[in-house]
Amino acid sequence: MSALGCGPHYEYAIEEFCLAKFGLEMQELDQKNWCSWEDTVELYGELTNCTYLVALKMDCFWPNQLVDEFFIGVHNHYFYNCSLSGRLLRDPPNRILGPFIAMPILVTLLMTALVVWRSKRSEGIV
């Protein structure tokens, strides 16, 4: 019952307190870093916590439909152009990529050497 009674007031409060602060902090970030989880995780966590604390103070349930709609709006505005994983797409570091390249090459060379070695040994072949 209390969740229904505080709907418009709760919506106004999270927009004025939480979203305003989040918007200012996101504007301080370079827009190309908005999709970088490392750069936005703390800001996003603070936004989530803010919506929870306002709900707690206003005796509302959390999460609720207003919070869901609020975060959909946040994502549509700030994260609409990000990949599904929320991370910027880039190649992995060389220390990770290197073994994935070197291992098939080494296996191919080893198998080739094994075939050549076996073909030169004609023992037991009739």
Side-chain angles (χ1 to χ4, degrees):
M1 193 71 155
S2 64
L4 297 175
C6 67
H9 301 294
Y10 176 69
E11 186 175 12
Y12 176 78
I14 61 175
E15 286 179 6
E16 289 298 313
F17 297 117
C18 305
L19 185 59
K21 182 178 183 291
F22 180 77
L24 289 174
E25 291 171 340
M26 287 296 284
Q27 293 302 324
E28 290 177 4
L29 266 181
D30 190 7
Q31 193 167 356
K32 67 180 179 179
N33 292 333
W34 284 6
C35 291
S36 172
W37 185 243
E38 291 84 19
D39 295 330
T40 58
V41 66
E42 188 175 331
L43 302 177
Y44 195 83
E46 289 174 6
L47 177 65
T48 304
N49 193 39
C50 181
T51 63
Y52 172 72
L53 291 175
V54 171
L56 195 62
K57 286 288 187 189
M58 297 183 83
D59 197 29
C60 298
F61 291 107
W62 190 95
N64 56 50
Q65 184 177 355
L66 289 174
V67 171
D68 292 342
E69 292 169 1
F70 173 78
F71 277 102
I72 288 171
V74 168
H75 281 258
N76 286 337
H77 182 73
Y78 292 102
F79 307 114
Y80 67 94
N81 203 19
C82 300
S83 67
L84 292 177
S85 67
R87 298 179 182 189
L88 292 173
L89 299 176
R90 60 181 187 263
D91 289 337
N94 287 338
R95 63 183 169 78
I96 294 174
L97 192 57
F100 283 102
I101 294 171
M103 190 59 77
I105 293 171
L106 292 173
V107 169
T108 303
L109 291 174
L110 180 64
M111 293 306 291
T112 304
L114 184 63
V115 168
V116 169
W117 178 73
R118 268 311 268 168
S119 68
K120 290 190 177 191
R121 295 186 65 209
S122 59
E123 296 174 355
I125 298 177
V126 179

